[in-house]
Amino acid sequence: MSKNMVSVTIDGRTVEVEAGSNLVDASLKAGVQIPHYCYHPKLSVVGQCRMCLVKIEGMPNLQTGCTTQIMKDGMEVRIDDDEVRAAQEGMMEFLLINHPLDCPICDQAGECGLQDYSFKHGQAFSRFSYEDKRTYPGKERIPLGPNVVLNMNRCIQCTRCVRFTEEISGTGELGFFQRGSRAEIGVFPGNELDNPLSTCVVDICPVGALTSTQFRFAERVWYLDKKPSLCTGCDAGCNITLEHRRGKIQRYKPRANDEVNDHWMCDFGRTTFQAYDEPRLSTPKRRNGRGEIRTITWDEALTSIHHSLAHGAAMGTVGILARGAATTEEAYLLKLLADSLETPHRGGLREPGPERLIPTSNGGLVGSEITPNRRGAELAGLEAPSSAERTAKMLAGAVNGAHSALLLFDGGRAGLDNALRSPAALEGLRKAETIVVVGWATTELTEIADIVLPIATHAETEGTLVNSQNRIQKFERAFPPPAGVRTGVEALVDLLRKFRPDFAPKTVADVFGLMATELSALEDVSLTELPASGIQLPVRPQ
């Protein structure tokens, strides 16, 4: 046993935990849940909701699990106990004295801690009169800021939100006002809850007191399908849960990863799925001799692209540029395509953006580029020019000739360097004999393209991204792409087979496996074995 590990027995299950762990965290390791409201693993411990009372052998009274640290071997704890159950039922009765029984109209229903614990740890009656409930007239819908609404009648005063603004965001807008039974949460006079992480207080509110203006009454949560994914708003790579109904994304919520973003994400990142409301590309298209863009089949499109790129490589120049949101596997296939064409004009994209800071227990996570996988593209072999000017210079070299061809792996309006969409840049690109755009949205680039391939969005595919810490992480497909649309990997594999008929990989996992055989940083790693927390890669010089 390690020096820093101690053993504890909870309901007959003995586990080893790090010395100093509290009983709430230790119980999870033992597969036992201690109910709690005010405790959160990333906030200070206040022990005020009293739901986590447990019986500890040798102690005369029940103890709060969140404030009890395990410092030495041999502690024996009982949760499945009549005295503990009676205490939990009593605390639930206290909490429900004043809480409105409005679950059918509450936006938190289906993910409410009070609702869940009421069924699991409460009782079916109350000894208190319903008519004597305390209410806060006129405080059912208080905007605390642009993203958060407070219903004071539902608040159980756990103070998680107050501690978050004091300890995590460091902005301190929220506080307790009044005293005793009239105590209430609010913002200090002259302030509003408007910090970059403000919606995190909605995530940690265990009841329906705080709701998000973005999601409020948008959808009942039990209708939502949820998939682990990654935010693509910047290169921080925050872990998220993507929640959708029938392919319509309703919200992003932070997913806990102590190695990356702890339990938090920024308000900007939560809104980035709205970009998918842009007009979609649904079928391959090709411009005819009269300059008209017409729908064609996938095979016709891939054959035309093969001929154009091969002709450019033989008679002129070929350029390949990947969007900043291309997955590492897509970037690797583009690199193989560039190898097949033997073109030096290849690259990813690097575009700086506003700095976004996520405070974490590891010192903080910073995103400073709007190209979320620039490092993944570089890992795969597509170096990103250090500035928009150098990108333009690289492209100018690629279109310098009568038989030049250009393949742009686009990513919607937010995914490709804005400098490339200026009238002057578009005019420069137009000098190429053939422009191929592979993307999911109609943009300025698709309007000047000769051939367009529709591919899946980030939500409709799977793969890996490398974040600002140089950590490679995987994400899952949330829902399938529309009919007629292929994933980027499927489209590029089919295109590569036009040049290399023996090219064997078919799936994202196959491509990752092929990439891992070439890159020492991924040696002996498969996509299925990539841990949920990701793998830290050697940090490259910037």
Side-chain angles (χ1 to χ4, degrees):
M1 181 185 302
S2 168
K3 275 186 176 176
N4 295 322
M5 301 299 284
V6 293
S7 67
V8 57
T9 302
I10 302 174
D11 281 349
R13 304 181 187 187
T14 301
V15 293
E16 291 183 6
V17 297
E18 191 173 341
S21 299
N22 67 33
L23 287 174
V24 175
D25 291 339
S27 68
L28 294 176
K29 193 169 183 181
V32 179
Q33 185 193 48
I34 296 177
H36 58 275
Y37 288 117
C38 66
Y39 175 69
H40 188 283
K42 297 301 178 183
L43 300 177
S44 59
V45 178
V46 291
Q48 64 189 56
C49 76
R50 320 305 287 181
M51 272 300 293
C52 61
L53 291 172
V54 298
K55 178 182 282 188
I56 301 175
E57 187 172 315
M59 292 188 179
N61 301 314
L62 299 182
Q63 305 293 316
T64 49
C66 65
T67 60
T68 304
Q69 294 180 309
I70 308 162
M71 302 305 295
K72 60 181 181 180
D73 288 328
M75 180 182 284
E76 293 195 17
V77 181
R78 297 294 303 176
I79 302 167
D80 185 12
D81 179 89
D82 290 341
E83 188 178 0
V84 173
R85 280 192 288 272
Q88 292 167 346
E89 290 177 355
M91 288 313 304
M92 285 304 304
E93 194 174 3
F94 276 130
L95 290 169
L96 290 169
I97 289 175
N98 295 308
H99 196 87
L101 301 178
D102 61 349
C103 298
I105 62 167
C106 178
D107 207 37
Q108 190 81 357
E111 55 182 5
C112 173
L114 198 65
Q115 192 179 44
D116 293 343
Y117 286 174
S118 180
F119 281 104
K120 191 172 182 180
H121 304 290
Q123 54 192 8
F125 62 89
S126 174
R127 289 167 287 183
F128 298 90
S129 170
Y130 176 80
E131 287 74 15
D132 294 336
K133 278 182 182 287
R134 175 206 59 199
T135 60
Y136 295 86
K139 296 184 177 179
E140 296 85 2
R141 289 177 291 277
I142 305 174
L144 296 182
N147 300 311
V148 181
V149 173
L150 167 66
N151 184 333
M152 195 55 224
N153 288 334
R154 295 175 183 157
C155 179
I156 61 170
Q157 301 175 358
C158 70
T159 70
R160 280 186 176 188
C161 56
V162 175
R163 283 177 283 149
F164 176 86
T165 60
E166 292 175 350
E167 300 166 11
I168 305 298
S169 68
T171 48
E173 303 98 328
L174 297 178
F176 252 133
F177 301 90
Q178 308 299 336
R179 291 183 176 181
S181 64
R182 305 308 304 178
E184 59 183 272
I185 298 292
V187 291
F188 287 99
N191 289 326
E192 62 176 354
L193 183 63
D194 189 19
N195 65 69
L197 305 170
S198 66
T199 311
C200 290
V201 300
V202 176
D203 300 328
I204 60 176
C205 178
V207 295
L210 299 175
T211 51
S212 162
T213 57
Q214 300 291 326
F215 181 71
R216 186 177 166 85
F217 302 123
E219 190 60 82
R220 280 303 197 182
V221 297
W222 49 81
Y223 291 131
L224 297 177
D225 291 321
K226 305 175 182 181
K227 287 290 184 182
S229 189
L230 301 171
C231 180
T232 56
C234 71
D235 59 337
C238 289
N239 290 216
I240 63 168
T241 301
L242 187 156
E243 301 186 359
H244 73 98
R245 185 180 185 188
R246 297 173 182 168
K248 173 68 174 176
I249 302 175
Q250 296 292 351
R251 66 177 174 181
Y252 285 169
K253 290 188 72 176
R255 179 166 52 90
N257 184 341
D258 289 347
E259 302 294 331
V260 183
N261 56 304
D262 279 357
H263 294 247
W264 323 120
M265 71 179 296
C266 70
D267 291 348
F268 168 76
R270 294 174 193 267
T271 66
T272 51
F273 68 84
Q274 295 170 2
Y276 297 138
D277 292 334
E278 293 178 17
R280 286 292 299 268
L281 298 172
S282 57
T283 58
K285 294 182 178 179
R286 181 176 59 198
R287 196 175 299 279
N288 63 23
R290 297 187 296 276
E292 300 165 336
I293 197 81
R294 289 286 184 264
T295 298
I296 56 176
T297 67
W298 267 94
D299 191 55
E300 290 172 334
L302 292 171
T303 301
S304 292
I305 295 172
H306 171 241
H307 288 162
S308 298
L309 296 182
H311 179 69
M315 305 297 292
T317 55
V318 174
I320 294 177
L321 186 66
R323 59 180 175 169
T327 66
T328 311
E329 293 73 26
E330 291 167 344
Y332 179 68
L333 291 173
L334 288 168
K335 178 258 183 188
L336 295 182
L337 182 62
D339 289 345
S340 297
L341 295 164
E342 299 180 347
T343 175
H345 306 295
R346 61 179 80 178
L349 280 172
R350 176 203 298 251
E351 186 169 4
E355 185 173 283
R356 305 188 190 282
L357 171 65
I358 308 295
T360 68
S361 50
N362 290 329
L365 174 69
V366 178
S368 59
E369 298 181 20
I370 66 171
T371 43
N373 196 38
R374 186 261 301 173
R375 293 168 183 81
E378 291 181 345
L379 174 71
L382 291 180
E383 291 293 329
S386 58
S387 65
E389 290 74 19
R390 293 193 176 187
T391 301
K393 186 176 180 181
M394 186 273 281
L395 289 172
V399 298
N400 184 22
H403 303 287
S404 57
L406 192 60
L407 188 149
L408 301 172
F409 204 79
D410 197 5
R413 293 180 188 281
L416 198 56
D417 195 317
N418 291 324
L420 296 179
R421 297 207 170 91
S422 68
L426 293 173
E427 185 61 30
L429 296 178
R430 192 55 271 180
K431 294 177 182 174
E433 183 176 83
T434 305
I435 299 178
V436 179
V437 174
V438 183
W440 56 266
T442 300
T443 67
E444 295 89 339
L445 293 175
T446 59
E447 291 173 3
I448 65 168
D450 298 293
I451 306 172
V452 174
L453 287 184
I455 60 168
T457 66
H458 155 255
E460 296 162 351
T461 189
E462 62 179 332
T464 61
L465 304 177
V466 180
N467 75 351
S468 58
Q469 302 168 313
N470 234 35
R471 177 173 289 274
I472 186 168
Q473 305 179 95
K474 65 180 178 183
F475 63 94
E476 296 183 12
R477 186 179 79 168
F479 46 86
V485 174
R486 298 182 184 180
T487 67
V489 166
E490 290 171 340
L492 291 173
V493 164
D494 289 342
L495 180 57
L496 264 169
R497 286 195 180 126
K498 298 286 184 184
F499 294 90
R500 298 167 53 182
D502 60 338
F503 190 68
K506 296 180 180 177
T507 66
V508 173
D510 292 341
V511 176
F512 186 92
L514 183 63
M515 186 169 59
T517 61
E518 185 177 323
L519 304 176
S520 59
L522 301 176
E523 188 176 7
D524 298 329
V525 178
S526 70
L527 187 63
T528 54
E529 294 170 345
L530 195 65
S533 58
I535 291 179
Q536 181 65 53
L537 303 174
V539 177
R540 294 163 49 110
Q542 298 297 303

PDB file of all heavy atoms in Angstrom, residues 18 37 56 111 309 311 382 385 388 432 477:
ATOM      1  N   GLU A  18      -6.858   8.098  -1.290  1.00  0.00           N
ATOM      2  CA  GLU A  18      -5.756   8.969  -0.884  1.00  0.00           C
ATOM      3  C   GLU A  18      -6.044   9.568   0.488  1.00  0.00           C
ATOM      4  O   GLU A  18      -7.174   9.978   0.769  1.00  0.00           O
ATOM      5  CB  GLU A  18      -5.591  10.073  -1.924  1.00  0.00           C
ATOM      6  CG  GLU A  18      -4.322  10.869  -1.762  1.00  0.00           C
ATOM      7  CD  GLU A  18      -4.122  11.843  -2.917  1.00  0.00           C
ATOM      8  OE1 GLU A  18      -4.742  11.646  -3.973  1.00  0.00           O
ATOM      9  OE2 GLU A  18      -3.362  12.803  -2.738  1.00  0.00           O
ATOM     10  N   TYR A  37     -25.964  18.013  -1.285  1.00  0.00           N
ATOM     11  CA  TYR A  37     -26.354  19.166  -2.103  1.00  0.00           C
ATOM     12  C   TYR A  37     -25.261  20.241  -2.116  1.00  0.00           C
ATOM     13  O   TYR A  37     -24.856  20.707  -3.175  1.00  0.00           O
ATOM     14  CB  TYR A  37     -27.647  19.797  -1.568  1.00  0.00           C
ATOM     15  CG  TYR A  37     -28.879  18.976  -1.826  1.00  0.00           C
ATOM     16  CD1 TYR A  37     -29.617  18.470  -0.773  1.00  0.00           C
ATOM     17  CD2 TYR A  37     -29.300  18.685  -3.119  1.00  0.00           C
ATOM     18  CE1 TYR A  37     -30.754  17.713  -0.992  1.00  0.00           C
ATOM     19  CE2 TYR A  37     -30.430  17.928  -3.358  1.00  0.00           C
ATOM     20  CZ  TYR A  37     -31.156  17.442  -2.297  1.00  0.00           C
ATOM     21  OH  TYR A  37     -32.267  16.683  -2.527  1.00  0.00           O
ATOM     22  N   ILE A  56     -20.288   6.674  11.830  1.00  0.00           N
ATOM     23  CA  ILE A  56     -18.887   6.219  11.863  1.00  0.00           C
ATOM     24  C   ILE A  56     -18.652   5.468  13.163  1.00  0.00           C
ATOM     25  O   ILE A  56     -18.954   5.993  14.241  1.00  0.00           O
ATOM     26  CB  ILE A  56     -17.916   7.415  11.739  1.00  0.00           C
ATOM     27  CG1 ILE A  56     -18.178   8.173  10.438  1.00  0.00           C
ATOM     28  CG2 ILE A  56     -16.459   6.944  11.818  1.00  0.00           C
ATOM     29  CD1 ILE A  56     -17.352   9.436  10.286  1.00  0.00           C
ATOM     30  N   GLU A 111     -33.628  16.258 -14.118  1.00  0.00           N
ATOM     31  CA  GLU A 111     -32.218  16.313 -13.721  1.00  0.00           C
ATOM     32  C   GLU A 111     -32.071  17.098 -12.425  1.00  0.00           C
ATOM     33  O   GLU A 111     -31.067  17.762 -12.212  1.00  0.00           O
ATOM     34  CB  GLU A 111     -31.349  16.918 -14.832  1.00  0.00           C
ATOM     35  CG  GLU A 111     -31.790  18.284 -15.298  1.00  0.00           C
ATOM     36  CD  GLU A 111     -30.923  18.810 -16.444  1.00  0.00           C
ATOM     37  OE1 GLU A 111     -30.049  18.073 -16.915  1.00  0.00           O
ATOM     38  OE2 GLU A 111     -31.137  19.969 -16.855  1.00  0.00           O
ATOM     39  N   LEU A 309      -6.877  17.050 -59.781  1.00  0.00           N
ATOM     40  CA  LEU A 309      -5.668  17.081 -58.958  1.00  0.00           C
ATOM     41  C   LEU A 309      -4.504  16.406 -59.676  1.00  0.00           C
ATOM     42  O   LEU A 309      -3.362  16.902 -59.642  1.00  0.00           O
ATOM     43  CB  LEU A 309      -5.937  16.403 -57.609  1.00  0.00           C
ATOM     44  CG  LEU A 309      -6.981  17.077 -56.706  1.00  0.00           C
ATOM     45  CD1 LEU A 309      -7.109  16.308 -55.390  1.00  0.00           C
ATOM     46  CD2 LEU A 309      -6.611  18.532 -56.411  1.00  0.00           C
ATOM     47  N   HIS A 311      -4.106  16.109 -62.904  1.00  0.00           N
ATOM     48  CA  HIS A 311      -3.700  16.994 -63.997  1.00  0.00           C
ATOM     49  C   HIS A 311      -2.869  18.159 -63.458  1.00  0.00           C
ATOM     50  O   HIS A 311      -1.828  18.518 -64.041  1.00  0.00           O
ATOM     51  CB  HIS A 311      -4.947  17.520 -64.714  1.00  0.00           C
ATOM     52  CG  HIS A 311      -4.641  18.463 -65.829  1.00  0.00           C
ATOM     53  ND1 HIS A 311      -4.038  18.059 -67.003  1.00  0.00           N
ATOM     54  CD2 HIS A 311      -4.847  19.812 -65.948  1.00  0.00           C
ATOM     55  CE1 HIS A 311      -3.892  19.106 -67.802  1.00  0.00           C
ATOM     56  NE2 HIS A 311      -4.371  20.187 -67.187  1.00  0.00           N
ATOM     57  N   LEU A 382       0.606  18.270 -41.366  1.00  0.00           N
ATOM     58  CA  LEU A 382       0.232  19.492 -42.095  1.00  0.00           C
ATOM     59  C   LEU A 382       0.642  20.699 -41.256  1.00  0.00           C
ATOM     60  O   LEU A 382      -0.087  21.121 -40.361  1.00  0.00           O
ATOM     61  CB  LEU A 382      -1.278  19.521 -42.364  1.00  0.00           C
ATOM     62  CG  LEU A 382      -1.828  18.511 -43.368  1.00  0.00           C
ATOM     63  CD1 LEU A 382      -3.340  18.675 -43.504  1.00  0.00           C
ATOM     64  CD2 LEU A 382      -1.166  18.671 -44.731  1.00  0.00           C
ATOM     65  N   PRO A 385       0.980  27.544 -41.377  1.00  0.00           N
ATOM     66  CA  PRO A 385       1.717  28.806 -41.484  1.00  0.00           C
ATOM     67  C   PRO A 385       1.450  29.674 -40.257  1.00  0.00           C
ATOM     68  O   PRO A 385       0.353  29.656 -39.700  1.00  0.00           O
ATOM     69  CB  PRO A 385       1.147  29.444 -42.754  1.00  0.00           C
ATOM     70  CG  PRO A 385       0.646  28.288 -43.562  1.00  0.00           C
ATOM     71  CD  PRO A 385       0.132  27.300 -42.551  1.00  0.00           C
ATOM     72  N   ALA A 388      -1.678  34.732 -41.223  1.00  0.00           N
ATOM     73  CA  ALA A 388      -2.567  34.743 -42.387  1.00  0.00           C
ATOM     74  C   ALA A 388      -1.800  35.128 -43.649  1.00  0.00           C
ATOM     75  O   ALA A 388      -2.083  34.624 -44.744  1.00  0.00           O
ATOM     76  CB  ALA A 388      -3.714  35.723 -42.140  1.00  0.00           C
ATOM     77  N   ALA A 432      -6.800  29.843 -59.676  1.00  0.00           N
ATOM     78  CA  ALA A 432      -6.581  28.404 -59.874  1.00  0.00           C
ATOM     79  C   ALA A 432      -7.521  27.890 -60.958  1.00  0.00           C
ATOM     80  O   ALA A 432      -8.657  28.332 -61.076  1.00  0.00           O
ATOM     81  CB  ALA A 432      -6.828  27.655 -58.564  1.00  0.00           C
ATOM     82  N   ARG A 477     -19.456  10.319 -32.312  1.00  0.00           N
ATOM     83  CA  ARG A 477     -20.519  10.828 -33.171  1.00  0.00           C
ATOM     84  C   ARG A 477     -21.821  10.891 -32.369  1.00  0.00           C
ATOM     85  O   ARG A 477     -22.201   9.917 -31.721  1.00  0.00           O
ATOM     86  CB  ARG A 477     -20.696   9.908 -34.383  1.00  0.00           C
ATOM     87  CG  ARG A 477     -21.676  10.465 -35.391  1.00  0.00           C
ATOM     88  CD  ARG A 477     -21.828   9.558 -36.593  1.00  0.00           C
ATOM     89  NE  ARG A 477     -22.707   8.430 -36.311  1.00  0.00           N
ATOM     90  CZ  ARG A 477     -23.185   7.608 -37.253  1.00  0.00           C
ATOM     91  NH1 ARG A 477     -22.804   7.785 -38.512  1.00  0.00           N
ATOM     92  NH2 ARG A 477     -23.970   6.617 -36.949  1.00  0.00           N
TER      93      ARG A 477
END
